[in-house]
Amino acid sequence: MQERGAATGLNAKPARRVYPTTTTGETPMRYMMLMIPQGYESAKAGTLPSAEQIETMRAYNQELQEAGVLISLDGLHPPSMGARVSFRGGRPTVTDGPFPEAKEVLGGFWMLDVASREEAIAWAKRCPGSDNETIEIRKVMEIEDFPADVQESVERLESQGR
């Protein structure tokens, strides 16, 4: 839904991030907003949003970028063009789309850097979504979310260049 690379870090290796506190003393957090368009699970290959939908969504995306909360975003082609890799029995098995058992699929995502869950929800509420769309908001796991022993193990591996 945007020009590739217009947001920062789309193709870059993620760096370990150190956050300053906000003016309220909160530490910004990453939240992913997942667009779930009803009916997209059965969309034909090549299905694309209209020019009007893209124009409206680009304006919203520009607001996110100007506010300094947008890390990255992208729209996804329908599942009919995708594949799934499952690992039953420890062996990879590839299934080409569409996936008839799917009830909900992702149509795209935004990665935001905001101070709270409430701020992420506020941005999602401003999205120009249509009647058939839902946005799911999920906090991204940060190393600080894990117990101290896991954090120490990760730091040790990073210092060894792994």
Side-chain angles (χ1 to χ4, degrees):
M1 302 253 178
Q2 79 162 41
E3 296 169 18
R4 176 140 321 270
T8 60
L10 285 178
N11 296 315
K13 180 180 177 186
R16 184 166 174 122
R17 297 159 35 128
V18 177
Y19 296 112
T21 57
T22 64
T23 55
T24 61
E26 297 173 325
T27 301
M29 298 171 248
R30 291 184 300 160
Y31 279 87
M32 184 169 268
M33 298 192 320
L34 307 163
M35 177 61 81
I36 305 169
Q38 190 176 35
Y40 205 49
E41 64 278 358
S42 58
K44 291 182 173 32
T47 299
L48 296 171
S50 70
E52 181 182 320
Q53 290 170 310
I54 292 204
E55 185 177 316
T56 303
M57 196 58 74
R58 282 184 63 88
Y60 172 70
N61 294 340
Q62 187 67 37
E63 285 182 55
L64 292 167
Q65 195 164 24
E66 288 172 3
V69 299
L70 182 64
I71 297 171
S72 65
L73 62 90
D74 267 309
L76 302 171
H77 281 281
S80 57
M81 298 174 68
R84 288 185 176 175
V85 179
S86 58
F87 298 91
R88 287 193 180 86
R91 301 187 68 150
T93 303
V94 178
T95 305
D96 290 325
F99 314 108
E101 70 282 356
K103 293 182 181 173
E104 292 183 334
V105 298
L106 297 179
F109 70 91
W110 297 264
M111 182 70 74
L112 304 182
D113 191 359
V114 294
S116 66
R117 178 178 178 266
E118 291 72 28
E119 186 179 354
I121 291 170
W123 278 109
K125 289 167 68 174
R126 293 176 65 174
C127 180
S130 62
D131 288 347
N132 72 321
E133 294 173 319
T134 300
I135 294 177
E136 181 176 328
I137 301 165
R138 307 266 302 272
K139 186 176 184 300
V140 174
M141 286 186 192
E142 304 289 358
I143 191 64
E144 294 79 13
D145 295 326
F146 289 91
D149 63 328
V150 174
Q151 292 182 40
E152 290 167 11
S153 177
V154 169
E155 287 176 17
R156 190 171 42 258
L157 291 171
E158 285 177 350
S159 70
Q160 295 172 359
R162 295 185 191 173

